[in-house]
Structure formats: structure tokens, C-alpha cells
Amino acid sequence: MLDTNFIFNNINEVKENLLNQGFKFDSDSFNVVYQKRKELITQVEALKQEQNKFTKEISKQKRKPNEKELLGIKELIEKIKILDSQRKLVEDDLATITLGIPNLCDSTVPIGKNEEFNVEITKYGRIPKFDYEPLDHTEIGKKLNLFDLERASKITGSRFNIYRGEGAKLERALINFMLDFHSKNGYEEIFPPFICNDKSFVGTGNLPKFEEDLFKLSNSNYYLIPTAEVPVTNMYADEVIDKKNLPLNFVAFSACFRSEAGSYGKDVKGLIRQHQFNKVELVKITSEENSQEEHEKLTNDACSILNELELPYRKVLLCTGDTSFSSNKTYDLEVWLPSEKKYREISSCSNFKDFQARRANIKIKSNNKVEFANTINGSGLAIGRTLVAIIENFQQKDGSIKIPNKLQPYFNNKTHIK
RNA sequence: GGAGAGAUGGGUGAGUGGCUUAAACCACCGGAUUGCUAAUCCGGCGUACGGAGUAAAUCCGUACCGGGGGUUCGAAUCCCCCUCUCUCCGCCA
């Protein structure tokens, strides 16, 4: 969430920045509520001061108030009550408005309304050449019995999957490989709950606006997490962190659950868009002055996994229209999929600046100065999509799949799936 | 699931209706002094919001002792509801 005073003092810049993201900010009604709140605070506090003065006087004189005084003070208290409840309503209104406003985009983010305006930064790796038409991952998976989408839909429904045999082992190998890699790189390993309460989701920006993307547990305020970002970022909610300990670096594996409402008809084939998938997530908590640098570092750390696995990919800077609600700046990493002959998102690395920290109330302290933290996160990587990329990019003419060299120690030192 | 005990500032922790402007200690910051990896002494030190101030410094005010209600002229303190933590019992992978 943005600071209300900042919005008020920079109303036109904020409006323009948000418009670049396709968000029409109603600045007039914001101003009305903002001013109304100030008025009510001023009024109610003046009355409270009057009441406190009276109370202190009584206390000092060590006596009880007489009947006439009581009558007057009770009238005052009644006024305070009325104004106070009005103030509360207005503050709720203001909170509703600000919680629904997206983060501003960094000045380096290209302006554009959709993914066509994203900017490719660099390409890495070599795109494999096949002297036959490469198969897609569902065909290969079926032939080698790596997963079983049909039976998954029987036991749960569409967009769920059962990994089987070598497929299950490959999924597990990737999880372990990524966790180990990032741990050695200075990230503390976290194994979080896969269910969080509503407050946590407000903290990261998923609620109140995007409830339809989530699976909610009935009769509770609990939701299944769509990413480990939610529990890990909120670990430090309502805390003040000593600046000396920054940055905090976390790597977390979790299953991720997304209702994918509104995505019907898109990428329905195979493992690309599932209701449940595995992901290793990187999260950093840092300070304002270091967040850009840490964002670049985190993105590079995610890239390293693709490099280690010898997967061809590109790094893309998202435009304003494609940058998500909470993010200030996002790089997507897109891996090459031979069957589609195009790059597909496998990681999204975002700098949220203090947007999430203000919502979750994560602060940092140094020399008696307290400020909101900056939060950064990115996939390092989405496991299912990595598995798809390996299957497709490392498919061999004889129908086998080569296992990338660095992954082999995690795969019983086997070189191929046959 | 049952019973009991708790939740106070960055941390530990005192405080059972007005003497609290929340003690004390630790940590932190500034200064002094002595000089063996530091010690001692002095001082400072919460957050949010509103107002004054060109601004910074600063000053004034209001609220905040897990969260929400209530009683009272006055609540960290009394009452009600909720959440969480710990201990014991039960059940359980």
C-alpha cells in the first residue's frame, strides 16, 4: 500500500503512474475522504483534550466531581463518542481505498498496456536443434510414464497431476537441487505452512482484491498459499528488524495452490497451468537503499538455476501494464519450450519496495531511525515448469531424456530417463 | 477436546483504579574519563496520527500495555468476548 500522505502530496504523479498500469485512480473521492479524516481527527482530539484536562484537575484536587460538573462532562463524552465513530468509519473508507491501489512502477519500467510491451533484456543458452519434430512434454510423459493427468482428474479434477516413477523422482530431485543451491548461496532454508490466515494475504497484497484467485478453507479465515511468498514475507509482520541484520535472505519450498479463475482455455495442456504445483521461492527483506541491488542479485540467483541446468532462457523486463499489483518492478525469466517454439515464464522476480512492508508492518531500525523495510521475491524456480523444460529440451531421438549434468547427483547419478 | 497460567516498549521485566509523564535492567546513540582487545561514569533513547513551523531541529495535542467491546469524571489495572503462547491431561502421524 502507498502512504496516504504521499498520495495526497503527489496526487497527479500517482494518478499518471497508475494510469500507465491501466488503473484509473479516483483522486477526487480520495481527497474528500482524506480531508474528512483530518477534520474529524482535529475535532475529536480537541474535545478529548478538554476532557483530559478536567479529569486531571479532579485527580489533582483529590475529590469527586460534583453533579453539575458530571452533567457537563457527560455531554462532552457523548459528543466525543459520536465524532469518534464517524472518524472510524472514514478511516475504514480510506483504508479500503488505499488497500485497493496498486504499487507505483519504477521509472525504469517501460510503459505499455500488455505483455507485447515487455522488453527483452538478454538471452542465455543455446536453443537445441532437432532433426525431427520435437515432442511436447505430455507425449513424452505418457511414453515414459512420468505423470498421469487422467487419473489425477479422476481423484481430484482437471488441472491436477500425479507424478509417477521417474517423473516423481525428477520433481523431487529438482526441489532438492534448488534448495541446496540457494542455501549454499546464503539463503536460509524455510519450510513454511501451506495455509495462511487472511491477514497474511493482506500483507503481501493478495487480499482484499484477488480473493477469487485463492482457495479458501471453509468456515475459517484460512487460505491455501498460491506461493511461499505469503508465509515467508509475513514471518516478520509487525516486527522491527535491526538494520545490521539485513538483508534477510530466505529460500522456501512449497506446494502452491491457485484457482486460476478466468484462465480457462489458456494453456490447458499438460503441466503448464495447474491448480497445484511446486515451487522454490526466494525472498529478501532489505532496506530502501539496497533494494534495487538486491533485486538484481535475486534475479541473478534465479538465473543461476537455469544456467546450471543448461536451459535456454531469456530475461524480460515487464512493462507497466504487465507488472503485478504489488510490484514496483518485475523481471520475468522465460525458458525455451521446443514444442511451442517460444519462451514461457518460469520465474517472476519482483521488487515491491515498501508496498508489502507497509501492509504487513515490517520495519527496520538503525540509530533510532525507524522505516519500512523493502521486500523482494522471485521464483527460483517453478518446479513443474522446470521439469517440463528439461523433458522437452533434453529429449533424445531414441525417446529418452538426458538428465542435466549438475542434476545427476540428485537423480541417483543416472544420466538418462529411458 | 478438557483444566490452569500468561501476553507490558528493540529485548528482559515491575506495575491490582488517579502519586505512571509505564519503574528497573539489557541493547542502542552521544559525551567524559581511564587505556591491553575494553571498563567506568554522565546524558539521551517507543510508535502512529493530527496541529504549529518555509524546511530541518523542535514544540503542542491525541491514541496505543495481545485484539475488540464495556464500566468510570478517570483503566495497563475492573467486567465481557476473541486470538495467540506456555504447562498438565486426553487423542493422534
Side-chain angles (χ1 to χ4, degrees):
Chain A
M1 132 175 97
L2 303 175
D3 180 58
T4 47
N5 289 325
F6 178 84
I7 297 174
F8 183 77
N9 293 323
N10 302 275
I11 199 98
N12 289 322
E13 291 89 330
V14 168
K15 210 171 170 177
E16 190 192 332
N17 192 305
L18 294 175
L19 200 60
N20 287 335
Q21 301 175 56
F23 183 85
K24 288 195 182 101
F25 174 46
D26 183 356
S27 54
D28 291 342
S29 51
F30 171 84
N31 276 336
V32 169
V33 177
Y34 180 87
Q35 299 280 23
K36 185 74 190 162
R37 171 176 166 275
K38 279 203 178 183
E39 273 170 40
L40 284 168
I41 286 174
T42 308
Q43 284 174 27
V44 84
E45 286 189 352
L47 296 182
K48 280 184 180 175
Q49 183 177 9
E50 201 180 317
Q51 187 198 357
N52 287 343
K53 262 184 191 157
F54 171 78
T55 295
K56 265 183 194 153
E57 201 51 41
I58 293 293
S59 172
K60 217 180 263 172
Q61 294 171 12
K62 299 188 178 180
R63 66 176 178 93
K64 298 283 179 196
N66 63 40
E67 272 186 41
K68 196 178 159 201
E69 285 170 331
L70 272 182
L71 228 57
I73 202 71
K74 285 197 171 168
E75 200 178 315
L76 182 65
I77 287 169
E78 205 46 45
K79 270 192 217 162
I80 291 173
K81 264 190 184 164
I82 291 165
L83 280 177
D84 229 1
S85 60
Q86 283 177 17
R87 187 195 54 132
K88 214 174 205 175
L89 287 175
V90 170
E91 286 190 334
D92 286 350
D93 286 349
L94 192 66
T96 303
I97 291 171
T98 51
L99 282 173
I101 299 174
N103 199 359
L104 300 179
C105 278
D106 191 73
S107 59
T108 57
V109 172
I111 293 170
K113 61 174 186 287
N114 57 36
E115 67 270 13
E116 286 166 34
F117 297 88
N118 295 344
V119 174
E120 183 180 282
I121 307 284
T122 35
K123 279 183 180 149
Y124 300 86
R126 202 153 16 108
I127 289 172
K129 293 213 166 74
F130 298 94
D131 54 8
Y132 61 98
E133 192 58 35
L135 302 176
D136 78 27
H137 70 278
T138 53
E139 296 170 293
I140 302 168
K142 200 170 262 181
K143 282 187 180 167
L144 295 173
N145 190 36
L146 302 180
F147 42 86
D148 192 339
L149 292 157
E150 291 79 7
R151 287 197 174 83
S153 72
K154 178 171 65 180
I155 61 174
T156 306
S158 71
R159 301 214 183 179
F160 285 87
N161 175 47
I162 302 163
Y163 286 104
R164 304 184 63 147
E166 299 285 86
K169 287 191 199 306
L170 183 57
E171 182 86 358
R172 181 155 59 89
L174 286 168
I175 294 166
N176 286 333
F177 168 73
M178 292 184 198
L179 284 173
D180 279 354
F181 184 89
H182 294 303
S183 298
K184 282 176 199 151
N185 221 353
Y187 290 83
E188 182 190 347
E189 186 169 334
I190 302 291
F191 193 78
F194 295 178
I195 294 172
C196 288
N197 60 30
D198 50 2
K199 181 171 181 286
S200 296
F201 283 88
V202 172
T204 37
N206 309 77
L207 289 180
K209 247 192 156 174
F210 305 103
E211 186 170 20
E212 74 277 6
D213 295 340
L214 304 171
F215 286 108
K216 185 174 191 182
L217 274 63
S218 62
N219 302 323
S220 78
N221 58 344
Y222 290 171
Y223 298 80
L224 297 179
I225 59 171
T227 159
E229 162 192 354
V230 178
V232 176
T233 306
N234 280 288
M235 276 168 41
Y236 285 86
D238 297 318
E239 292 196 31
V240 181
I241 306 165
D242 195 324
K243 204 167 183 175
K244 277 184 289 198
N245 300 326
L246 298 180
L248 304 181
N249 302 312
F250 302 109
V251 57
F253 160 75
S254 84
C256 302
F257 304 89
R258 299 187 181 178
S259 76
E260 296 293 353
S263 72
Y264 295 103
K266 258 197 233 168
D267 317 313
V268 283
K269 204 175 176 193
L271 300 182
I272 295 295
R273 193 175 296 277
Q274 297 268 300
H275 286 308
Q276 176 186 329
F277 62 95
N278 294 316
K279 183 157 60 66
V280 167
E281 182 77 2
L282 303 172
V283 176
K284 281 177 183 276
I285 298 178
T286 184
S287 60
E288 168 82 33
E289 60 264 37
N290 292 325
S291 71
Q292 282 197 350
E293 185 190 341
E294 293 294 337
H295 180 215
E296 298 294 330
K297 272 196 205 167
L298 181 140
T299 308
N300 286 336
D301 290 333
C303 287
S304 298
I305 296 291
L306 289 159
N307 293 332
E308 292 280 304
L309 296 175
E310 304 164 58
L311 289 168
Y313 68 99
R314 62 174 191 164
K315 179 177 163 187
V316 172
L317 175 58
L318 298 191
C319 73
T320 51
D322 211 19
T323 301
S324 66
F325 180 80
S326 300
S327 177
N328 170 259
K329 182 177 182 176
T330 300
Y331 293 114
D332 270 9
L333 304 180
E334 299 180 344
V335 72
W336 178 259
L337 290 188
S339 68
E340 299 187 17
K341 295 188 173 56
K342 65 179 183 190
Y343 289 97
R344 293 298 303 258
E345 180 190 339
I346 197 166
S347 172
S348 198
C349 301
S350 300
N351 186 355
F352 302 92
K353 308 289 276 192
D354 61 4
F355 187 85
Q356 293 182 325
R358 184 172 282 110
R359 286 170 162 255
N361 191 26
I362 305 168
K363 293 185 172 169
I364 55 183
K365 183 181 182 176
S366 65
N367 294 352
N368 298 325
K369 191 179 154 216
V370 177
E371 58 194 323
F372 284 111
N374 276 210
T375 58
I376 299 159
N377 70 53
S379 343
L381 308 163
I383 304 293
R385 289 187 180 182
T386 308
L387 181 135
V388 167
I390 288 174
I391 289 175
E392 294 202 1
N393 282 286
F394 285 83
Q395 59 179 294
Q396 308 294 310
K397 204 172 185 177
D398 63 4
S400 69
I401 301 163
K402 185 184 179 300
I403 301 298
N405 291 335
K406 293 279 176 64
L407 193 60
Q408 287 173 14
Y410 290 87
F411 200 67
N412 296 325
N413 290 311
K414 283 189 190 166
T415 60
H416 289 78
I417 299 175
K418 287 179 181 158

